[in-house]
Amino acid sequence: MDTVVGCPLERDLLITRGWAVFTVLRARNHILLRQEDHLQRLIDSCRGARIDLAGLPPHDELLQRIWQKLDEYNYPESVVRIIVTAGHSEDSKHPAPSGHPRIVILVDPYHEPSGDSVRLISRIGGPLRPEVKMIGPYANAMVDLCDVGREGYDDVLYTTATDDFKETT
């Protein structure tokens, strides 16, 4: 097992609470496919996850950062993952007052799926907020915490259908 010491994200809410959103897009010869659709979904997901948009770079600066990463790896076709975290936290629960969202851009080579088709199965369930591309099992709890904080509460107590206590955020 690897141990990471001094990770730049170690006090980030992505690590402590899974509080982040993402989008994934393809790039071909440094051209981002459906670029505006993906960037808008990222912004909409930030809103839905209560991540402060004021701390994000302007549109053109974000694109420059993505293109720099594409240049760094220089794959003919790439998969680009853009992750926006809720930012640094002093208490591992709330964004730091002086904090801001952090952006992580990951670039991998694109590989065509093998075979002629993709097999899928459908099941009842899925994300509680599918329109918000959130990361981590505690991300929905973080949205709840933001919402109840605006109503004057400090936390949320989760129960089962029979009112058994489960946990707080």
Side-chain angles (χ1 to χ4, degrees):
M1 177 172 78
D2 291 334
T3 301
V4 178
V5 179
C7 170
L9 295 176
E10 99 183 27
R11 301 285 301 169
D12 193 280
L13 287 160
L14 166 63
I15 301 299
T16 61
R17 291 294 178 142
W19 193 359
V21 297
F22 70 100
T23 193
V24 179
L25 61 156
R26 283 180 53 194
R28 186 175 296 131
N29 297 318
H30 291 56
I31 296 170
L32 299 169
L33 305 179
R34 300 191 63 190
Q35 157 189 311
E36 293 308 314
D37 292 340
H38 286 283
L39 294 180
Q40 187 60 54
R41 180 170 63 185
L42 190 66
I43 295 300
D44 292 345
S45 291
C46 285
R47 278 191 190 102
R50 314 310 189 264
I51 293 175
D52 182 18
L53 294 172
L56 295 179
H59 178 273
D60 291 345
E61 184 180 327
L62 177 57
L63 286 175
Q64 286 299 320
R65 291 182 190 186
I66 296 167
W67 289 326
Q68 285 173 345
K69 278 290 189 184
L70 288 169
D71 285 341
E72 185 179 324
Y73 291 96
N74 204 29
Y75 300 126
E77 290 195 57
S78 304
V79 175
V80 180
R81 289 174 181 81
I82 307 165
I83 301 165
V84 179
T85 81
H88 179 80
S89 175
E90 296 298 327
D91 65 0
S92 298
K93 201 169 190 177
H94 301 91
S98 61
H100 52 82
R102 292 180 174 159
I103 296 175
V104 179
I105 301 168
L106 306 172
V107 175
D108 292 306
Y110 173 75
H111 301 286
E112 283 289 334
S114 60
D116 294 333
S117 63
V118 177
R119 290 177 42 125
L120 302 174
I121 187 170
S122 64
R123 295 201 172 139
I124 295 172
L128 295 177
R129 295 175 176 95
E131 73 281 3
V132 180
K133 300 266 302 185
M134 298 176 95
I135 295 175
Y138 285 97
N140 284 312
M142 295 296 90
V143 171
D144 292 342
L145 185 64
C146 286
D147 290 345
V148 301
R150 288 189 192 104
E151 298 170 22
Y153 297 96
D154 298 319
D155 212 336
V156 177
L157 173 65
Y158 295 102
T159 63
T160 66
T162 57
D163 288 335
D164 295 322
F165 299 127
K166 286 176 60 178
E167 64 178 358
T168 65
T169 60

